[in-house]
Amino acid sequence: VQVSVSGNKATVEKIELPVVESGSTGEEKPTGNIVLDFSKSDDTAAESAQTITAVAIPTDIVKQIADASGEEQKLEIVLAGGAAIELDAAALSEKAAKEGNGEVNIARESSENAPINDAQKEAVGDRPAYEISVTSGGKNISDMGSTITVRAPYELKPGEKSRGLVVWYVDDNGVKHRCT
């Protein structure tokens, strides 16, 4: 993967898909199971890697991943702090790759930096909050007709038990919707 970094945004410039060998023919086929981990870096830009909260992927690369063989296509982006966003095969083929030309942008902002309104602030209280956005061709993609998996690290507070944690989507009116 060739990537350029500017500020907190990484832009994927080129990707070479991993290949799997077909058992019956021995032919190598590209697989669309990709994990791009921007949570750490081994190079001299390690400091900037710690701040990657947005990734831009040209739509032709998203299409390249979506068109790879197999039913297990997925694209997982791991951002600074360990937060991760995973798009399944349907998300890659249905919306992200087809919503115009340009690039697909995936971003995560913590509540300290996210532009949340007063109703959302009241609903969130002192709990951690993230704004997660997926855009393509400059347009928000809110319904991808598929599953998007979001993971974010969370440190239990004294007295909390992990089985009692719930994740909510808080809309613009401050109404909480339980996520699965």
Side-chain angles (χ1 to χ4, degrees):
V1 177
Q2 290 179 356
V3 176
S4 63
V5 176
S6 177
N8 69 338
K9 183 178 181 179
T11 301
V12 176
E13 296 176 346
K14 182 180 177 184
I15 191 165
E16 215 173 292
L17 294 177
V19 294
V20 292
E21 189 175 304
S22 173
S24 59
T25 64
E27 181 183 351
E28 289 186 342
K29 296 183 176 184
T31 179
N33 191 358
I34 306 295
V35 178
L36 301 176
D37 189 345
F38 296 99
S39 66
K40 55 189 172 290
S41 175
D42 295 333
D43 63 19
T44 56
E47 285 182 28
S48 66
Q50 298 307 311
T51 63
I52 300 296
T53 58
V55 175
I57 306 170
T59 53
D60 62 326
I61 292 176
V62 174
K63 288 176 185 177
Q64 181 184 352
I65 295 168
D67 291 342
S69 65
E71 297 293 319
E72 299 299 318
Q73 296 108 321
K74 72 174 185 177
L75 173 61
E76 180 178 359
I77 312 268
V78 184
L79 301 169
I85 300 165
E86 181 181 306
L87 305 174
D88 68 7
L92 291 168
S93 63
E94 291 302 317
K95 286 282 189 177
K98 296 179 182 177
E99 283 287 331
N101 295 321
E103 58 189 24
V104 173
N105 289 280
I106 299 170
R108 183 238 359 127
E109 290 292 338
S110 65
S111 57
E112 299 88 40
N113 300 325
I116 61 177
N117 65 38
D118 290 339
Q120 291 169 320
K121 287 177 188 173
E122 185 175 328
V124 169
D126 67 345
R127 309 307 281 179
Y130 298 96
E131 178 183 34
I132 298 164
S133 62
V134 179
T135 62
S136 180
K139 298 178 183 175
N140 283 325
I141 301 174
S142 58
D143 179 10
M144 298 185 80
S146 62
T147 301
I148 297 176
T149 303
V150 177
R151 289 185 295 283
Y154 179 76
E155 190 171 319
L156 292 173
K157 293 182 178 187
E160 282 185 329
K161 297 188 186 307
S162 62
R163 71 175 183 268
L165 294 179
V166 178
V167 176
W168 300 92
Y169 161 71
V170 180
D171 67 22
D172 289 340
N173 298 317
V175 177
K176 296 189 279 188
H177 305 271
R178 189 176 179 146
C179 297
T180 57

